[in-house]
Amino acid sequence: MPSKDDKSIDKISALKKNIKKLRLMLSEHRKKEEILKERCERLEMAIEAGGFGFWDWDLITNEAYFNPTYYTMLGYEPGEFTASYQSWYNLLHPDDRINVVPRIKKYVELGQSYEEEFRLRCKDGTWKWISGKGKIFINGASGIPYWAVGVHIDITERKTAKQALLESKKRLDEESDKLRTISENAPFGIVLMDSNGRFEYVNPKFMEMFGYNLHDVPDGKTWFRKAYPDHEYRKNVIKTWLTDLESFKQKSKVGERPNYTFTVTCKDGSKKTINFIPVFLPNGGHLLTCEDITERLYLESQLRQAQKTEAIGTLAGGIAHDFNNILTALMGYATLIKIKLKTTDPLITYADQILTASQKAADLIKNLLAFSRKQPLNLTYIDVNNIIKSTEKLLKRLLTEDIELKTKLTKDNTVIMADQSQIDQILFNLASNARDAMPNGGRLTIETDIVNLDKEYIEKYGFGKPGRYVMIKVTDTGSGMDKDTLDKIFDPFFTTKEVGKGTGLGLATVYGIVKQHNGFINVDSVLNVGTTFHIYLPALSTEIEQIPIEPVSIPTGNETVLVAEDNEDVRAFLKEVLIKHGYRVIEAQDGEDAIKKFMTHKDIDLIILDTVMPKKNGLEAFKEIYKLEPDVRVIFMSGYSRDIVLEKGIGDKEFDFIPKPVEVEKLLLKIREVLSS
Ligand code: ADP
Ligand code: MG
């Protein structure tokens, strides 16, 4: 049985053991604490080094902890405000108090981790954008959230950068909207091509101009093939592009742009003259603008043509004027010789020869004047259908036997105000051209019709004035013409015929006559098929009265006539004729002289005035004389058309007029008519 002492010894040794154990446990605990402390310090250092605002929040007491960086992030000294939930709430932006706080409360209730963005007020009053992350801890036994930790990071810079980015994107969108509006409404075509030659964009005008869309021409290669179907032409176009673009790229001067003009074939097969301007883009692509200059070129060529015609007309008119004076003398004296000779005299034939030759010369001059539109017109009411019917026989004689002449005349009234001989001239010129174009025979058709030129027609064909017209259509089945020839046919002296055969005046004359009658002419021609001329002359709605023509006898008189004419030969001839037929003649050699003579000889019954004279012309001289004697009788005389005198006339006074070369009979008839009126 163990003694009381034995028992005590056992207890002591057990205690010692326990103490030893406890010491061991304590030292281990200390070691662990040491490690934990070290870890805590390290963690805190890491957080500081990361520059994060670190916090924890006791959800039961609402007390909190903010690390030093948290304070400095907002511009405070560490510990400058009390660390609590309330302090944080006070710094929060009013909008975020409304939006963000309820959400955070919800996370806390549910014990969920969260991430939110909000603004905190700095010490200097500015706002900082913060990204806040939090983790909630829940008591395992009660299920109540009791603690939260997390970091707050300053994201202001990121946020403003993002905002700036958004704004610049918005501006960019607006800019590109503007650019799109411009290109969608541009009056010229726009193509955007990438560095591989793919068409990225074509604007509506491009599609309207050519008929092609992106689907038709996805790239430059297809474009070249479709727009320039002719192989040779295409090769040239491509070569021009490549060489010029290369050299331009090397120069690459700002403001200097190459530009090209090519004939493009559109989707519907029509051809257009297009001006291209390429712009090189930094990404290696191209921006191409294309302008349709077909119409402009056409108008320019029309204008050039009109100017040229006008200039040649002036020249021709000038020559004709001088020539008419010479012819007047020539024909006049020949007529006088005839009058003086007995009818049996053999010399009469010579006088007749002179007259025939002079008449031919006069006809030539007439052509020149017709073209220059300065020819005196003898306007009367004429029926175009009648003229065609009456010239049909003559025209047939003009044509070769293997050419059939057909007429299709309208039943409508085809009365116009015109010079009959001029309309004849048109028909003859067109018929002889048709004959030359059909050396192996064919058909010549002359048709008439009444047409109304309306706005649509004028827009379509680019000529005319609205109104009712008698149309004469002359069609042959001959050689036709190519475009080059067509462009020039109305030019005086343009002919494709061999020397001696063509004068090149036929169509120029036709053109002049049509214009002088306020009409229009156009021509359609297809090579090896034939040619059609359309002539439009203003229609009248009057039926013609048939005036019986009475045989005329040459009248005489005994009145005093003042003859003002600067050309000595013409003056002498006129004097001779007038004296021969009973008149008294006073001569004046220019306009001023005419006024002087009129004032010194009070008994003058009639003045004959040449329109073109030195010092004062006929009209100017007349104006002076008219002031002295408003009842004066006058006849104007000119190698130019009546219009020139009338155009610049005095008020609505009608003038009597006699064209040069002066024919004796007509002159004497006119003088009698004026004196007897
Ligand atoms: P010319 O007959 O003296 O040559 P024109 O002025 O009458 O002068 O005609 C000019 C040119 O127009 C002609 O040389 C011819 O080439 C062409 N031409 C005119 N009419 C026709 C036609 N009906 N068919 C084919 N070519 C024509
Ligand atoms: Mg001809």
Side-chain angles (χ1 to χ4, degrees):
M1 159 129 210
S3 68
K4 205 180 162 188
D5 284 352
D6 284 349
K7 273 185 184 171
S8 300
I9 287 167
D10 281 350
K11 265 183 189 169
I12 286 169
S13 71
L15 264 173
K16 271 182 183 167
K17 256 187 202 164
N18 272 346
I19 287 171
K20 208 176 168 184
K21 219 171 160 183
L22 274 172
R23 274 207 186 110
L24 210 69
M25 275 171 72
L26 192 67
S27 90
E28 266 176 19
H29 188 76
R30 277 208 182 113
K31 254 187 215 159
K32 274 187 187 160
E33 203 175 17
E34 222 38 20
I35 291 168
L36 215 61
K37 202 180 153 205
E38 212 173 283
R39 278 193 188 159
C40 266
E41 276 170 2
R42 248 191 255 156
L43 199 64
E44 224 161 275
M45 270 160 69
I47 288 168
E48 290 298 323
F52 305 137
F54 173 78
W55 55 269
D56 67 33
W57 171 22
D58 186 329
L59 297 174
I60 311 294
T61 63
N62 266 339
E63 276 167 14
Y65 164 80
F66 300 124
N67 73 336
T69 303
Y70 200 102
Y71 289 94
T72 51
M73 185 173 77
L74 299 175
Y76 293 94
E77 289 298 323
E80 198 174 331
F81 55 82
T82 330
S84 69
Y85 168 78
Q86 194 56 43
S87 313
W88 173 77
Y89 186 84
N90 289 343
L91 294 176
L92 200 57
H93 193 280
D95 290 349
D96 299 332
R97 285 180 199 168
I98 298 167
N99 294 321
V100 181
V101 170
R103 284 206 295 273
I104 292 180
K105 286 205 164 140
K106 194 102 202 147
Y107 292 125
V108 170
E109 259 171 45
L110 297 170
Q112 262 181 17
S113 298
Y114 66 85
E115 191 170 345
E116 283 286 347
E117 285 178 4
F118 45 82
R119 282 153 290 181
L120 292 181
R121 188 163 33 77
C122 301
K123 192 176 176 182
D124 63 5
T126 58
W127 294 97
K128 276 207 163 146
W129 271 103
I130 303 293
S131 162
K133 285 183 184 175
K135 187 170 168 56
I136 316 296
F137 292 89
I138 294 175
N139 186 315
S142 62
I144 294 170
Y146 69 96
W147 197 41
V149 288
V151 287
H152 284 173
I153 304 169
D154 177 3
I155 55 164
T156 314
E157 234 169 71
R158 198 177 83 203
K159 248 333 219 208
T160 44
K162 197 172 161 194
Q163 189 60 28
L165 206 69
L166 278 176
E167 268 164 25
S168 89
K169 188 171 175 299
K170 198 175 148 224
R171 264 203 310 278
L172 223 65
D173 283 349
E174 280 168 8
E175 290 297 313
S176 72
D177 266 357
K178 268 189 227 156
L179 280 177
R180 185 168 304 118
T181 313
I182 292 171
S183 69
E184 302 275 293
N185 294 293
F188 43 82
I190 297 175
V191 182
L192 199 59
M193 207 179 4
D194 71 10
S195 55
N196 297 320
R198 289 200 71 78
F199 282 15
E200 290 179 315
Y201 169 81
V202 297
N203 74 338
K205 186 72 193 178
F206 176 94
M207 295 188 262
E208 180 198 317
M209 218 146 84
F210 303 115
Y212 299 123
N213 56 25
L214 270 182
H215 188 71
D216 301 317
V217 285
D219 50 37
K221 215 171 150 189
T222 319
W223 164 256
F224 279 128
R225 195 161 40 74
K226 290 195 170 168
Y228 314 108
D230 180 79
H231 181 67
E232 276 306 305
Y233 190 74
R234 179 164 68 238
K235 249 170 60 184
N236 274 335
V237 173
I238 294 176
K239 211 173 114 193
T240 313
W241 271 113
L242 293 182
T243 41
D244 274 26
L245 287 187
E246 209 41 57
S247 74
F248 180 77
K249 253 189 224 163
Q250 279 158 17
K251 274 190 254 157
S252 77
K253 276 187 202 157
V254 181
E256 190 186 309
R257 296 257 153 85
N259 87 63
Y260 308 100
T261 303
F262 297 125
T263 305
V264 170
T265 303
C266 306
K267 195 173 179 180
D268 65 4
S270 63
K271 293 196 188 299
K272 284 183 178 167
T273 313
I274 304 294
N275 194 32
F276 293 95
I277 301 179
V279 178
F280 305 101
L281 303 176
N283 67 1
H286 290 109
L287 180 75
L288 261 180
T289 62
C290 1
E291 188 193 1
D292 182 358
I293 56 169
T294 319
E295 177 83 8
R296 198 179 82 205
L297 290 185
Y298 174 71
L299 290 178
E300 275 171 11
S301 84
Q302 294 283 92
L303 183 66
R304 260 201 307 280
Q305 174 72 25
Q307 283 168 337
K308 194 168 69 182
T309 316
E310 203 57 45
I312 301 174
T314 309
L315 179 73
I319 295 171
H321 170 253
D322 287 346
F323 224 79
N324 271 337
N325 279 336
I326 299 167
L327 281 178
T328 301
L330 213 63
M331 290 165 87
Y333 284 118
T335 312
L336 287 179
I337 291 172
K338 258 184 85 176
I339 292 170
K340 276 198 176 159
L341 291 176
K342 291 207 180 75
T343 38
T344 49
D345 199 310
L347 285 178
I348 279 212
T349 354
Y350 297 149
D352 277 337
Q353 296 280 5
I354 297 174
L355 282 173
T356 317
S358 308
Q359 193 54 54
K360 277 191 187 149
D363 287 344
L364 205 68
I365 296 294
K366 245 188 178 171
N367 278 343
L368 273 184
L369 281 172
F371 165 66
S372 66
R373 283 176 252 162
K374 283 175 178 153
Q375 146 185 261
L377 284 186
N378 187 12
L379 293 178
T380 49
Y381 292 115
I382 59 161
D383 185 328
V384 175
N385 280 348
N386 283 347
I387 290 195
I388 293 172
K389 276 182 221 154
S390 63
T391 49
E392 220 177 315
K393 258 194 195 151
L394 284 172
L395 290 176
K396 264 196 187 132
R397 242 193 279 158
L398 190 77
L399 301 172
T400 48
E401 274 173 8
D402 50 5
I403 297 175
E404 179 198 354
L405 175 65
K406 268 184 87 174
T407 53
K408 285 189 213 164
L409 306 180
T410 171
K411 297 227 157 39
D412 288 334
N413 176 14
T414 55
V415 175
I416 60 171
M417 191 68 158
D419 185 324
Q420 164 148 10
S421 64
Q422 302 297 313
I423 305 303
D424 286 344
Q425 182 88 57
I426 291 179
L427 295 172
F428 278 107
N429 290 7
L430 293 183
S432 56
N433 280 344
R435 176 201 58 208
D436 296 344
M438 299 185 284
N440 303 318
R443 192 183 329 113
L444 174 65
T445 316
I446 303 178
E447 292 165 69
T448 56
D449 210 348
I450 296 288
V451 291
N452 274 309
L453 292 197
D454 51 16
K455 253 176 103 184
E456 251 170 54
Y457 182 95
I458 292 163
E459 263 168 30
K460 184 165 173 212
Y461 293 101
F463 74 88
K465 246 185 177 167
R468 243 179 116 243
Y469 290 82
V470 174
M471 181 185 72
I472 309 173
K473 185 172 159 189
V474 180
T475 310
D476 65 55
T477 55
S479 59
M481 290 169 261
D482 58 21
K483 193 179 172 298
D484 274 356
T485 307
L486 262 181
D487 280 348
K488 297 192 198 105
I489 52 171
F490 296 116
D491 288 1
F493 309 112
F494 171 78
T495 179
T496 56
K497 294 166 193 172
E498 57 193 80
V499 181
K501 269 207 163 169
T503 59
L505 275 178
L507 289 179
T509 306
V510 170
Y511 181 84
I513 295 173
V514 171
K515 284 286 153 205
Q516 209 175 3
H517 283 82
N518 299 319
F520 303 98
I521 180 166
N522 86 345
V523 50
D524 293 318
S525 191
V526 180
L527 213 55
N528 300 323
V529 174
T531 305
T532 303
F533 285 91
H534 290 94
I535 290 168
Y536 303 85
L537 299 168
L540 295 175
S541 45
T542 319
E543 301 285 344
I544 312 172
E545 304 161 27
Q546 289 295 331
I547 308 159
I549 301 159
E550 282 171 27
V552 284
S553 59
I554 296 175
T556 55
N558 54 13
E559 289 89 344
T560 306
V561 181
L562 173 64
V563 176
E565 162 67 62
D566 58 315
N567 185 297
E568 216 172 295
D569 293 337
V570 176
R571 202 169 64 234
F573 152 71
L574 289 172
K575 186 181 171 189
E576 179 90 37
V577 171
L578 291 180
I579 288 175
K580 184 128 196 17
H581 288 84
Y583 296 97
R584 276 186 60 219
V585 174
I586 297 158
E587 292 174 72
Q589 58 194 18
D590 56 51
E592 271 182 12
D593 195 27
I595 301 166
K596 219 165 68 197
K597 294 278 165 61
F598 186 83
M599 292 202 296
T600 44
H601 299 265
K602 282 285 172 206
D603 54 347
I604 289 169
D605 299 296
L606 170 75
I607 326 167
I608 296 176
L609 285 170
D610 185 21
T611 48
V612 185
M613 284 188 292
K615 298 201 178 153
K616 280 202 161 65
N617 69 31
L619 194 64
E620 288 163 346
F622 172 74
K623 280 181 187 168
E624 296 284 316
I625 294 171
Y626 181 76
K627 274 188 224 154
L628 301 168
E629 178 54 69
D631 289 332
V632 68
R633 287 159 203 256
V634 64
I635 295 173
F636 283 99
M637 185 171 59
S638 171
Y640 292 127
S641 108
R642 176 192 189 88
D643 300 64
I644 285 196
V645 184
L646 291 181
E647 251 169 36
K648 302 168 190 160
I650 308 168
D652 52 6
K653 194 164 167 47
E654 277 269 347
F655 291 111
D656 284 291
F657 180 79
I658 180 115
K660 279 181 178 178
V662 176
E663 286 170 42
V664 175
E665 248 177 50
K666 282 190 184 158
L667 174 70
L668 291 170
L669 281 170
K670 190 74 182 176
I671 290 175
R672 206 54 266 155
E673 179 198 321
V674 173
L675 282 172
S676 309
S677 67

